[in-house]
Short mmCIF file of all heavy atoms in Angstrom, two decimals:
data_model
loop_
_atom_site.label_atom_id
_atom_site.label_comp_id
_atom_site.label_asym_id
_atom_site.label_seq_id
_atom_site.Cartn_x
_atom_site.Cartn_y
_atom_site.Cartn_z
N ALA A 231 94.86 -135.43 41.88
CA ALA A 231 95.15 -134.55 42.93
C ALA A 231 96.45 -134.91 43.63
O ALA A 231 97.23 -134.03 43.98
CB ALA A 231 94.03 -134.57 43.91
N TRP A 232 96.68 -136.19 43.79
CA TRP A 232 97.97 -136.66 44.46
C TRP A 232 99.11 -136.30 43.51
O TRP A 232 100.15 -135.82 43.98
CB TRP A 232 97.92 -138.10 44.75
CG TRP A 232 99.15 -138.60 45.57
CD1 TRP A 232 99.21 -138.72 46.84
CD2 TRP A 232 100.30 -139.25 44.91
NE1 TRP A 232 100.42 -139.28 47.13
CE2 TRP A 232 101.06 -139.55 46.06
CE3 TRP A 232 100.77 -139.46 43.65
CZ2 TRP A 232 102.29 -140.17 45.89
CZ3 TRP A 232 101.98 -140.01 43.55
CH2 TRP A 232 102.85 -140.36 44.63
N VAL A 233 98.97 -136.51 42.19
CA VAL A 233 100.07 -136.16 41.18
C VAL A 233 100.35 -134.67 41.23
O VAL A 233 101.51 -134.26 41.35
CB VAL A 233 99.59 -136.54 39.81
CG1 VAL A 233 100.53 -135.97 38.71
CG2 VAL A 233 99.55 -137.99 39.64
N TYR A 234 99.31 -133.85 41.27
CA TYR A 234 99.42 -132.38 41.31
C TYR A 234 100.22 -131.95 42.63
O TYR A 234 101.18 -131.15 42.57
CB TYR A 234 98.04 -131.78 41.42
CG TYR A 234 98.17 -130.20 41.39
CD1 TYR A 234 98.39 -129.47 40.26
CD2 TYR A 234 98.09 -129.51 42.60
CE1 TYR A 234 98.50 -128.07 40.19
CE2 TYR A 234 98.10 -128.12 42.60
CZ TYR A 234 98.30 -127.45 41.44
OH TYR A 234 98.36 -126.06 41.46
N GLY A 235 99.92 -132.65 43.78
CA GLY A 235 100.61 -132.38 44.99
C GLY A 235 102.15 -132.64 44.89
O GLY A 235 102.98 -131.96 45.36
N VAL A 236 102.40 -133.87 44.39
CA VAL A 236 103.74 -134.27 44.24
C VAL A 236 104.63 -133.35 43.37
O VAL A 236 105.68 -132.94 43.74
CB VAL A 236 103.93 -135.78 43.74
CG1 VAL A 236 105.31 -136.09 43.33
CG2 VAL A 236 103.30 -136.71 44.69
N ILE A 237 104.07 -133.04 42.21
CA ILE A 237 104.78 -132.26 41.25
C ILE A 237 105.00 -130.81 41.73
O ILE A 237 106.16 -130.20 41.74
CB ILE A 237 104.04 -132.14 39.90
CG1 ILE A 237 103.88 -133.52 39.31
CG2 ILE A 237 104.81 -131.31 38.97
CD1 ILE A 237 105.15 -134.38 39.17
N THR A 238 103.99 -130.21 42.36
CA THR A 238 104.14 -128.89 42.91
C THR A 238 104.98 -128.88 44.13
O THR A 238 105.66 -127.82 44.36
CB THR A 238 102.65 -128.23 43.26
OG1 THR A 238 101.96 -129.14 44.25
CG2 THR A 238 101.86 -127.92 42.07
N ASN A 239 105.05 -129.91 45.01
CA ASN A 239 105.94 -129.94 46.07
C ASN A 239 107.51 -130.07 45.60
O ASN A 239 108.35 -129.74 46.35
CB ASN A 239 105.65 -131.13 47.00
CG ASN A 239 104.50 -130.93 47.80
OD1 ASN A 239 104.06 -129.76 48.03
ND2 ASN A 239 103.93 -131.96 48.38
N HIS A 240 107.62 -130.51 44.32
CA HIS A 240 108.93 -130.49 43.76
C HIS A 240 109.28 -129.12 43.00
O HIS A 240 110.26 -129.03 42.32
CB HIS A 240 109.06 -131.60 42.72
CG HIS A 240 109.33 -132.95 43.34
ND1 HIS A 240 108.28 -133.68 43.99
CD2 HIS A 240 110.42 -133.71 43.37
CE1 HIS A 240 108.80 -134.80 44.39
NE2 HIS A 240 110.19 -134.89 44.01
N GLY A 241 108.33 -128.16 43.06
CA GLY A 241 108.52 -126.87 42.56
C GLY A 241 108.12 -126.78 41.08
O GLY A 241 108.51 -125.89 40.32
N GLY A 242 107.40 -127.78 40.57
CA GLY A 242 107.05 -127.90 39.16
C GLY A 242 105.60 -127.61 38.99
O GLY A 242 104.88 -127.02 39.83
N GLY A 243 105.07 -128.04 37.78
CA GLY A 243 103.64 -127.78 37.46
C GLY A 243 103.14 -128.89 36.48
O GLY A 243 103.95 -129.54 35.89
N VAL A 244 101.84 -129.03 36.45
CA VAL A 244 101.24 -129.96 35.59
C VAL A 244 100.22 -129.26 34.61
O VAL A 244 99.37 -128.61 35.10
CB VAL A 244 100.48 -131.03 36.37
CG1 VAL A 244 99.90 -132.22 35.40
CG2 VAL A 244 101.37 -131.65 37.46
N ALA A 245 100.33 -129.48 33.35
CA ALA A 245 99.38 -128.87 32.38
C ALA A 245 98.77 -130.01 31.59
O ALA A 245 99.38 -131.10 31.21
CB ALA A 245 100.13 -127.90 31.44
N VAL A 246 97.33 -129.91 31.40
CA VAL A 246 96.65 -130.96 30.71
C VAL A 246 95.75 -130.28 29.73
O VAL A 246 95.14 -129.34 29.89
CB VAL A 246 95.74 -131.66 31.75
CG1 VAL A 246 94.93 -132.71 30.97
CG2 VAL A 246 96.47 -132.32 32.89
N SER A 247 95.93 -130.82 28.45
CA SER A 247 95.13 -130.39 27.31
C SER A 247 94.42 -131.73 26.80
O SER A 247 94.93 -132.78 26.73
CB SER A 247 95.93 -129.75 26.25
OG SER A 247 96.96 -130.56 25.85
N SER A 248 93.10 -131.46 26.32
CA SER A 248 92.33 -132.67 25.86
C SER A 248 91.27 -132.23 24.95
O SER A 248 90.69 -131.10 25.10
CB SER A 248 91.89 -133.43 27.10
OG SER A 248 91.21 -134.66 26.62
N GLN A 249 90.81 -133.12 24.00
CA GLN A 249 89.67 -132.90 23.28
C GLN A 249 88.88 -134.21 23.19
O GLN A 249 89.43 -135.26 22.95
CB GLN A 249 90.11 -132.54 21.81
CG GLN A 249 90.66 -131.14 21.71
CD GLN A 249 90.98 -130.69 20.19
OE1 GLN A 249 90.75 -131.51 19.32
NE2 GLN A 249 91.34 -129.48 20.00
N PRO A 250 87.61 -134.08 23.41
CA PRO A 250 86.81 -135.35 23.35
C PRO A 250 86.96 -136.11 22.06
O PRO A 250 86.84 -135.52 20.95
CB PRO A 250 85.34 -134.81 23.53
CG PRO A 250 85.46 -133.55 24.23
CD PRO A 250 86.78 -132.94 23.68
N GLY A 251 87.30 -137.37 22.12
CA GLY A 251 87.40 -138.18 20.98
C GLY A 251 88.79 -138.07 20.24
O GLY A 251 89.12 -138.82 19.40
N ALA A 252 89.70 -137.19 20.76
CA ALA A 252 91.00 -136.95 20.09
C ALA A 252 92.16 -137.22 21.08
O ALA A 252 93.26 -136.99 20.66
CB ALA A 252 91.07 -135.53 19.51
N GLY A 253 91.92 -137.57 22.26
CA GLY A 253 92.95 -137.92 23.22
C GLY A 253 93.31 -136.84 24.17
O GLY A 253 92.70 -135.75 24.21
N THR A 254 94.34 -137.10 25.05
CA THR A 254 94.70 -136.27 26.23
C THR A 254 96.25 -136.21 26.23
O THR A 254 96.87 -137.12 26.00
CB THR A 254 94.17 -136.75 27.51
OG1 THR A 254 92.70 -136.81 27.48
CG2 THR A 254 94.54 -135.79 28.80
N SER A 255 96.79 -135.02 26.56
CA SER A 255 98.20 -134.73 26.82
C SER A 255 98.43 -134.25 28.19
O SER A 255 97.77 -133.21 28.60
CB SER A 255 98.75 -133.81 25.73
OG SER A 255 100.09 -133.55 26.03
N VAL A 256 99.27 -134.84 28.96
CA VAL A 256 99.70 -134.41 30.28
C VAL A 256 101.09 -134.06 30.29
O VAL A 256 101.95 -134.85 29.83
CB VAL A 256 99.40 -135.48 31.38
CG1 VAL A 256 99.75 -134.95 32.78
CG2 VAL A 256 97.90 -135.89 31.50
N ARG A 257 101.46 -132.78 30.56
CA ARG A 257 102.80 -132.28 30.58
C ARG A 257 103.22 -131.93 31.94
O ARG A 257 102.68 -131.05 32.60
CB ARG A 257 102.93 -131.07 29.59
CG ARG A 257 102.59 -131.39 28.17
CD ARG A 257 102.54 -130.22 27.26
NE ARG A 257 101.53 -129.26 27.61
CZ ARG A 257 100.27 -129.44 27.20
NH1 ARG A 257 99.86 -130.65 26.63
NH2 ARG A 257 99.32 -128.61 27.51
N VAL A 258 104.34 -132.57 32.40
CA VAL A 258 104.85 -132.36 33.66
C VAL A 258 106.10 -131.45 33.56
O VAL A 258 107.04 -131.93 32.83
CB VAL A 258 105.19 -133.69 34.51
CG1 VAL A 258 105.97 -133.43 35.77
CG2 VAL A 258 103.93 -134.46 34.78
#
């Protein structure tokens, strides 16, 4: 939630994709 606030306050966005057992990708 804090990460989301920081990035959006900079005019950006955060996208997250994930699959159980296959890992997670966070794109700022």
Side-chain angles (χ1 to χ4, degrees):
W232 188 86
V233 169
Y234 182 82
V236 169
I237 302 304
T238 54
N239 283 343
H240 281 74
V244 187
V246 180
S247 56
S248 181
Q249 290 185 354
T254 301
S255 173
V256 179
R257 295 175 296 284
V258 172

